[in-house]
Amino acid sequence: MLAWPPKRGRQERAHMKRALITGVTGQDGSYLAELLLSKGYEVHGIIRRASTFNTKRIDHIYQDPNEASTRLFLHHGDLSSSEWILNMVYSYAPDELYHLAAQSHVRVSFDMPEYTGDVTGLGTMRLLEAIRRAGCKTRFYQASSSEMFGSAAPPQSEMTLFQPRSPYAAAKVYAYWMTRIYREGYQLFASNGILFNHESPRRGETFVTRKITRAVAAIVAGKQDHLFLGNLDARRDWGYAPEYVEAIWKMLQRETAEDIVIGTGEAHSVREFVEEAFSYAGLDWRKHVKTSERYMRPLEVDCLIADTRKAREKLDWEARIGFSDLVAIMVDADLEGAGLVPVGRGRAILEKKFSHWNHWQNSVTRVMEAVEGQASQH
């Protein structure tokens, strides 16, 4: 069995690239940490201090910091503190800083607009200012969002004007422009990755795609009868998150910093996602799915589709996982998580199309085993 990650001593670490990831315990952060470890990086992740354990997505790669071979280090931090951020950047002088942390739930941003603006918007500015003041040569990645396009006509490209339709999107627009201002005004290597919706078995349980696939597993298991959703007609460009973190990494390996749209170039409605997920598990969605005003946004975004030409040209990147494959992967994972036998096509897709860092055993099964082990200990 392969050791994960490969062991190296402290002397070898001195010659490694060092990366700092905000939001390391999130979907993208956990996959990015795995990718960077597989490439030989020393990885430092920022986590929020909390009274409960919130590291389940990275427990399977966690290492004792006292071990000489450790290359993943976690630090408690607060993106609302300029002093703490400056101290962190100055102390570790990372070669690459991936800013993924945010209050990223669009519907929640309407209920918490001030908090969303502070963390999602001003947090980016604080990091950029810390890099500038520390004087280090850190390359900076800002996780921008397709939600910034809002009501703009699809397909949306790097040249499309932003028309945000939520506090979250407005905060991301601010962060996008601060990244450009620091790049053009202070010559920082700072890039915006404008990522369209990207999902996986590690997607947060309140996001619509994961809400759907978890419900499918619960219904098959006889633990749930109905699923309540909001707007079924909204159309999104959905891709597979591990592929997107590969694009994120590629952006910081370029000679020049740029802003690049990442997506599949194909859109499907929430209704289509529901139909695909339920039929994959042999269910009739019409018997189980209902709509509720509770999950409707005050302002809707009708259709987001990525124009991916620049990603193909500049990054040599193109999505390999299509819509039906994505759904199969997520449903299989939630079936396995519920103690059921997966249909199997999703697992087979990962084994065929990805290297060991994102094979089913590492990406899904080991995460579940780590969570179960943690639960038994606490």
Side-chain angles (χ1 to χ4, degrees), residues 215-216 219-220 224-229 232 271 274-275 278-279 282-291:
V216 167
I219 291 169
V220 172
Q224 183 174 329
D225 291 322
H226 296 103
L227 168 64
F228 292 89
L229 297 172
L232 298 181
R271 190 187 311 276
V274 169
E275 292 172 347
F278 275 75
S279 64
L283 299 172
D284 183 350
W285 72 276
R286 287 177 287 270
K287 295 180 179 179
H288 302 283
V289 177
K290 300 181 179 181
T291 58

Side-chain angles (χ1 to χ4, degrees), residues 2 60 184 192 252 267 283 324:
L2 287 171
H60 65 296
E184 296 167 12
N192 284 291
L252 292 198
L283 299 172
S324 63

